[in-house]
Amino acid sequence: KNLINEVQKDANKYKHYLNLARENKELGINVDAEKYYKEALDVKQNIDLYIEIGKFYLDNDRKKDAFKWGETMLSLYPKEAKAYEYMMDIYMADKDYIAAYDLYDSMNVRKVTSTKIGEVIETIKYDSSIENMTSKYDKIFAIGECGFDLFTDEYKSTFAEQNDLWNAQLELA
């Protein structure tokens, strides 16, 4: 019976601190909101609360804190897809594709799966291949029908590049 009472007290304290944190956040009293978030975390640690606190940092332009918070989440919850998704959002906001790929690799090593992150990685692959083609082949790049243009001496001289572009677009298709 004492154990049940203690669990109930902790549950009530957790809800109390979490409500205070959210109320203070809504009122813009961020110092108190952060204090109460951490009080709630002291009572009960869980990934959803970590994510909420991380988003609180992001909402208040505390990107460095949000990033550190995400790293802490990954170390505490290395098998939770939500932790990786949180960090992926940060990397994508910064367009840090290298870090995004590293995170994806780390996930795969730990055998963690996330449809959301899989979609993000596919988008990065697509966007970066388009970006690379447009910068490398800006003279001959076109979306849609692709072929070889050998009608002028200028285009004939770019045959190797046209062939590379042809192969790249076949790969994308």
Side-chain angles (χ1 to χ4, degrees), residues 85-104:
E85 291 169 356
Y86 170 86
M87 285 302 289
M88 186 63 77
D89 288 344
I90 290 174
Y91 292 142
M92 293 307 294
D94 289 342
K95 296 185 191 293
D96 189 346
Y97 300 143
I98 292 170
Y101 272 108
D102 288 344
L103 183 70
Y104 183 66

Side-chain angles (χ1 to χ4, degrees), residues 65-76 86-87 91:
D65 290 327
F67 182 80
K68 286 179 187 175
W69 203 253
E71 287 182 325
T72 300
M73 246 191 292
L74 286 172
S75 68
L76 291 172
Y86 170 86
M87 285 302 289
Y91 292 142

